[in-house]
Amino acid sequence: MNIVTIALKDLKQIARDRMSLLFLVIMPLAFTFLMGLLFGGNQQTDTRLNVGLINNDSQGSLTQTLTGLLENSQTIKVVDLTPAEESGISDQINSGKLAGALIIPGSYSNDLLNEKNPQIQIIANPSGTGGQTVLTELQAKISQLLGALETGRLSLQAYESQKPVADPHAYLADAVSASILAWQDPSIHINSEPVSVGANQSGFSGYVQTSPGMLVQFAIGGLIGAASVLVLERRNRTISRLLIAPVTKAQIILGHLLGVTVMVFFQESILILAGQFFFKVNYFQNPVGTLVMMLVVALFCGSLGLFFGAISKKPEQAIMWPLIAMFLLTALGGAWFPLDITSQAFYTVGHFTPGAWIMDGFQNIILRGLGFSSILLPAAIIMVYAVLFFGLAVWRFRFE
Amino acid sequence: MKALDIAFKDMLRSWRSAFTVVMMFVAPLLITGLIYLAFGGFGGGEVNIAQIDVGLVNQDTAVSQVPVSMGNELAKILTADSLKNLLAVTKYPNETDARQAILDKKISVALIIPSDFTSAVIQENANTALTIIHDPASTLAAPILQSIVEPFVNSLNGSKIAAQVVVAQLEKDGLAVDVSLPGQIALSYGSWSMANIPGANGALPSVDLQIPTASTQGSNKQAMAGGVVAGMIIYFAFYTGALNAQSIIREQDDQTLARLAVTPTSPATILTGKVIGSVILIFIQVVVLMLLSSLFFGINWGDPMKMGAVSMAMVFLASGFGIFLMSFIKNMRQTGIVLGGVLTVLGMLGGLFTTGFQNLPKAFAVATLFTPHGWALRAYKLALGILSGGILIPVLVMTAIGAVSMIVGVLLFRRRFA
């Protein structure tokens, strides 16, 4: 009973501070929304990359075929530019307004038909993800056009081996059109599908990354309030006074642990409900698994909060440790960005942090649609960290 | 003179506090270092991403008319020595096993080559599909595998389309079509296709690839890296400004402020001392962070005059805004939320944590300018050449916000001390 009383006291103290609501609920929701949007949200908006196009050969038949291919792209969105804007293209790419640009030279179409091998200019930075994507997509479309033209030439050769062609350019144009048409439904397709066994078949979306990510970040960041309570109690000597009350040291420690754990669990509940109903992240497809993950994360954060409270002597330290842990564990654990886009060393180190296992456990449910057994390993590892930090907290805990 | 004494005392206290030193220098460098490590550095080199575990299910069956199995040819491409650092290929007998391997996280992605792959290449109306199945949490594995498989598949599709188009055009005009012609056309197209692959620079022979012109302050990537570090410097400079202003609250809680008030020291002198201390502290922080980021991460800060003007305005702004924020705080318990919460929210809205993202929504770019952090970031981006334009307006706006914040903060504090 003493444990519950101490926990309730901690919770009341935190709840009375209205500004703690900002850190516990409002900020994680705001960050989930914003960061999710930056990662593509629920993919309802046009996420195609802007590519500038200066077309100096707008009347050319093959050029028109190429621009038609570009306009149908699912990856890039053509932004028409005037030739006068050519000098500002680099600035537009540097500022992020364009991901790349294409300059079609004058008489491109005629030069192609006359086998003059004209060069088309692409301005892009292939060392960046956006630039690489643009380069790949533009070259795929150019290849399609040139392949269609090559088809026409092969056809022309075969035709001329039997009979002269009155208008070779018209013949080539027919072949190119037929070829482009055939490319709309080629014999061999490449299909891509995520392997998911549950109800969530939508694959990766912005909020599937940021909802659990921001939950981890602010569950740890929210420990500022919890650690501060302990520091203030020590400074005000209320902990010392508690020792003369009929309450054991173990009860005091467990009471504080329970308080922080319940606080984080409450915070998680709000964020997961918001994730489920507002951000369309399917936590409820495995409700028991989600509940177990919430419990172990709350216990882990409770232990971590107790540890920070134990090692902090001044209020500033109760802010510093949670902030540093928040930045370290969430960045390394893949809460800010998926670990598979990072370097090998970062990826390896990341998987030694509890943050990566929390992300893994939640993503097994919401993204992979896996069953209860899939969260057992992540949950067990997070519990090991919880026990470790609880042990360290008890070791370092000072009542005076 | 008394104001300088107060400033000196505050600075001494800050330097003696491990917490302040960590938040001024270690935290921004640590976060920048993490981003640096995560993406393989800022220097323009390619990111050496983790090796991708790929499953391969090759069900392709041989066809008598074709000497080679296209499935085996594709498998050779995936297992080529040149891709060994990128792909670790494991063969699976069937799709079910490969799916299970993905669920068990033994592999991130698998390629399923169907049994009719080769026959689909040669049979006139046959269609088939290669299937890439992937772990939905793995964002890069499937696109990378597809980018490797696609040129091969495009070559096969192109060959078949070429043969079909040629035959159709000849037949349309009633010309004879030799039975060997489709095969010859397909081979010719295949040869052309193989000769038209991207070169060492990643560009097709028919493409003139130009890298965007570097800004006057250095390469695009360097400038972008400078933007990321500038975001961190701004965030932690505002943090230092608020932390230093927090000393007023702490002295109030510790009753030392009351004692100071009975000495012949006016509230204006006390607050002036706090502001001077804050300005000097943030100035040192900004200079040190710029120097260390140049040293560790190779950041080129560009024109010293522009950068100096922007940094001075930002130092003034961060100092004034710190006083302003803390003037609303009643006790030390509330400072944690301001330091951890309000500054983080403003930093987020100001775009400090999203400097590396391209194609941000326009509304977000506009919203950043409703925060002092957003103006500071804009000024740094202009000075670095990431954005085009002059720095004068952002510098003036920063100075104005800093001055107004400082005046309001000082007035509120004076009213409290009165």
Side-chain angles (χ1 to χ4, degrees):
Chain A
M1 194 58 201
N2 285 334
I3 296 173
V4 176
T5 307
I6 292 170
L8 283 174
K9 187 275 302 171
D10 277 4
L11 288 171
K12 204 182 281 182
Q13 218 171 337
I14 294 167
R16 269 183 192 160
D17 192 349
R18 285 181 194 170
M19 289 184 87
S20 62
L21 193 68
L22 180 79
F23 217 97
L24 291 175
V25 180
I26 296 170
M27 277 177 61
L29 288 176
F31 266 78
T32 303
F33 176 70
L34 180 78
M35 300 299 282
L37 215 58
L38 296 179
F39 275 106
N42 281 329
Q43 297 175 339
Q44 288 163 336
T45 51
D46 187 354
T47 55
R48 290 179 299 168
L49 296 165
N50 287 335
V51 172
L53 171 67
I54 295 180
N55 189 351
N56 294 311
D57 184 36
S58 55
Q59 298 304 313
S61 60
L62 292 177
T63 303
Q64 286 171 355
T65 304
L66 178 61
T67 53
L69 290 171
L70 295 173
E71 275 156 17
N72 289 329
S73 170
Q74 302 294 311
T75 311
I76 59 170
K77 184 177 165 187
V78 174
V79 178
D80 287 317
L81 302 176
T82 61
E85 291 176 280
E86 185 175 342
S87 60
I89 285 177
S90 287
D91 283 344
Q92 293 209 48
I93 294 174
N94 289 335
S95 67
K97 285 180 185 165
L98 296 176
L102 182 74
I103 300 175
I104 302 174
S107 77
Y108 178 68
S109 185
N110 273 337
D111 287 352
L112 276 179
L113 291 169
N114 294 319
E115 299 187 44
K116 286 185 179 171
N117 298 325
Q119 288 226 312
I120 201 162
Q121 194 177 344
I122 294 177
I123 305 170
N125 191 348
S127 62
T129 315
Q132 182 61 58
T133 306
V134 164
L135 181 63
T136 304
E137 181 66 2
L138 288 177
Q139 294 199 141
K141 299 302 179 194
I142 293 167
S143 283
Q144 214 170 319
L145 175 74
L146 297 182
L149 186 61
E150 179 63 14
T151 299
R153 288 198 182 111
L154 291 170
S155 184
L156 190 63
Q157 281 172 14
Y159 198 105
E160 285 181 328
S161 69
Q162 296 186 48
K163 188 179 167 185
V165 177
D167 184 353
H169 283 184
Y171 187 93
L172 276 177
D174 276 353
V176 168
S177 297
S179 183
I180 295 290
L181 191 66
W183 266 107
Q184 289 177 7
D185 184 24
S187 296
I188 306 164
H189 292 264
I190 302 175
N191 298 329
S192 181
E193 60 176 84
V195 177
S196 178
V197 294
N200 189 334
Q201 300 287 338
S202 58
F204 191 89
S205 79
Y207 297 126
V208 164
Q209 166 68 25
T210 58
S211 174
M214 292 304 109
L215 184 149
V216 178
Q217 172 160 337
F218 287 96
I220 297 172
L223 298 178
I224 289 174
S228 299
V229 166
L230 272 176
V231 172
L232 285 173
E233 280 198 8
R234 204 178 297 115
R235 282 166 77 93
N236 299 339
R237 303 192 184 281
T238 43
I239 289 190
S240 311
R241 274 177 249 161
L242 259 185
L243 289 176
I244 57 167
V247 54
T248 64
K249 286 183 177 178
Q251 285 174 330
I252 295 173
I253 292 175
L254 287 174
H256 285 302
L257 174 70
L258 183 64
V260 187
T261 304
V262 170
M263 179 197 80
V264 175
F265 188 81
F266 173 74
Q267 180 192 25
E268 286 182 295
S269 303
I270 292 175
L271 299 184
I272 279 175
L273 285 172
Q276 178 73 33
F277 295 111
F278 187 68
F279 299 116
K280 311 291 178 207
V281 178
N282 201 355
Y283 288 102
F284 286 3
Q285 80 120 15
N286 182 350
V288 181
T290 299
L291 187 66
V292 171
M293 280 303 297
M294 287 167 67
L295 281 171
V296 294
V297 171
L299 272 169
F300 163 71
C301 289
S303 304
L304 197 62
L306 195 67
F307 174 65
F308 291 145
I311 60 170
S312 301
K313 290 175 184 163
K314 297 175 183 173
E316 296 97 312
Q317 292 173 343
I319 301 167
M320 177 184 74
W321 292 119
L323 274 184
I324 290 178
M326 179 179 89
F327 284 130
L328 262 183
L329 295 183
T330 51
L332 280 171
W336 290 356
F337 33 73
L339 285 179
D340 68 333
I341 66 170
T342 64
S343 64
Q344 178 78 56
F346 195 93
Y347 182 89
T348 307
V349 173
H351 277 87
F352 282 99
T353 66
W357 291 101
I358 296 173
M359 289 297 291
D360 223 22
F362 278 122
Q363 290 195 328
N364 280 351
I365 296 167
I366 61 178
L367 197 51
R368 300 182 179 102
L370 296 176
F372 180 72
S373 60
S374 72
I375 58 113
L376 291 178
L377 178 65
I381 291 172
I382 298 162
M383 275 308 292
V384 169
Y385 279 106
V387 171
L388 176 75
F389 281 110
F390 181 69
L392 289 170
V394 171
W395 174 52
R396 298 289 300 165
F397 205 94
R398 299 287 178 268
F399 289 85
E400 293 173 7
Chain B
M1 193 59 198
K2 275 186 185 171
L4 287 178
D5 286 340
I6 291 169
F8 182 72
K9 186 269 299 172
D10 272 4
M11 282 194 291
L12 199 62
R13 187 168 181 148
S14 295
W15 294 124
R16 282 178 180 164
S17 162
F19 168 74
T20 309
V21 173
V22 165
M23 295 311 279
M24 280 176 70
F25 304 111
V26 180
L29 289 173
L30 183 75
I31 296 169
T32 307
L34 277 175
I35 296 169
Y36 183 87
L37 281 176
F39 298 107
F42 295 141
E46 286 183 11
V47 179
N48 179 23
I49 60 165
Q51 193 182 38
I52 300 168
D53 292 312
V54 179
L56 176 63
V57 180
N58 184 3
Q59 299 168 324
D60 190 28
T61 50
V63 177
S64 57
Q65 300 96 311
V66 183
V68 291
S69 151
M70 293 302 161
N72 288 343
E73 293 302 304
L74 185 51
K76 278 183 200 169
I77 292 172
L78 296 181
T79 53
D81 284 345
S82 57
L83 291 176
K84 271 189 176 161
N85 287 335
L86 181 63
L87 306 180
V89 179
T90 306
K91 290 181 180 171
Y92 290 91
N94 53 55
E95 185 174 338
T96 309
D97 286 1
R99 281 181 179 272
Q100 192 57 49
I102 290 174
L103 292 175
D104 294 341
K105 294 187 201 129
K106 290 177 182 164
I107 55 174
S108 307
V109 61
L111 176 68
I112 316 296
I113 302 174
S115 58
D116 58 350
F117 184 42
T118 304
S119 67
V121 175
I122 58 164
Q123 285 180 8
E124 196 174 339
N125 292 316
N127 285 297
T128 193
L130 298 171
T131 306
I132 292 173
I133 53 175
H134 63 93
D135 177 1
S138 177
T139 53
L140 277 186
I144 287 177
L145 183 61
Q146 182 154 350
S147 72
I148 294 167
V149 171
E150 210 160 47
F152 182 75
V153 171
N154 283 348
S155 175
L156 296 178
N157 276 328
S159 298
K160 190 171 176 183
I161 288 170
Q164 286 170 346
V165 168
V166 171
V167 169
Q169 284 202 301
L170 295 183
E171 284 179 342
K172 194 174 72 177
D173 282 7
L175 297 182
V177 177
D178 188 87
V179 71
S180 64
L181 182 67
Q184 288 169 15
I185 296 292
L187 280 175
S188 299
Y189 186 94
S191 303
W192 172 87
S193 183
M194 288 296 118
N196 282 278
I197 56 171
N201 67 345
L204 292 170
S206 55
V207 165
D208 171 22
L209 175 63
Q210 299 285 323
I211 308 298
T213 314
S215 60
T216 51
Q217 282 77 24
S219 74
N220 174 40
K221 192 150 187 172
Q222 274 183 324
M224 293 304 287
V228 172
V229 181
M232 288 297 108
I233 289 177
I234 295 165
Y235 176 75
F236 284 98
F238 274 83
Y239 195 93
T240 304
L243 196 63
N244 201 61
Q246 181 201 258
S247 67
I248 304 172
I249 311 293
R250 189 177 48 232
E251 290 194 27
Q252 182 187 304
D253 274 13
D254 294 346
Q255 310 285 316
T256 51
L257 205 59
R259 273 176 247 167
L260 197 62
V262 295
T263 65
T265 312
S266 67
T269 308
I270 298 171
L271 290 169
T272 307
K274 298 286 179 194
V275 171
I276 293 172
S278 190
V279 167
I280 296 174
L281 207 61
I282 300 172
F283 179 77
I284 294 171
Q285 178 189 21
V286 170
V287 171
V288 170
L289 286 176
M290 281 184 161
L291 289 174
L292 290 179
S293 58
S294 292
L295 193 66
F296 295 147
F297 310 121
I299 305 297
N300 178 0
W301 290 105
D303 183 351
M305 291 300 287
K306 278 186 184 174
M307 199 47 75
V310 167
S311 295
M312 282 309 297
M314 198 275 286
V315 166
F316 182 68
L317 172 62
S319 305
F321 200 70
I323 301 277
F324 173 74
L325 276 182
M326 284 300 155
S327 65
F328 292 98
I329 299 299
K330 289 175 184 154
N331 55 51
M332 280 297 284
R333 278 199 60 209
Q334 292 181 340
T335 59
I337 298 300
V338 170
L339 290 172
V342 176
L343 288 178
T344 308
V345 170
L346 288 172
M348 178 193 83
L349 293 176
L352 302 186
F353 304 123
T354 45
T355 44
F357 285 86
Q358 291 182 349
N359 291 331
L360 289 171
K362 276 182 186 168
F364 180 70
V366 174
T368 61
L369 298 181
F370 284 95
T371 67
H373 301 66
W375 279 102
L377 185 63
R378 183 174 174 78
Y380 273 99
K381 282 184 170 178
L382 287 166
L384 283 162
I386 298 170
L387 297 178
S388 310
I391 59 163
L392 184 64
I393 291 175
V395 165
L396 289 176
V397 171
M398 280 197 289
T399 311
I401 297 175
V404 171
S405 302
M406 203 172 281
I407 291 166
V408 172
V410 167
L411 286 176
L412 287 174
F413 270 124
R414 284 187 67 174
R415 189 187 297 173
R416 194 189 295 184
F417 299 152

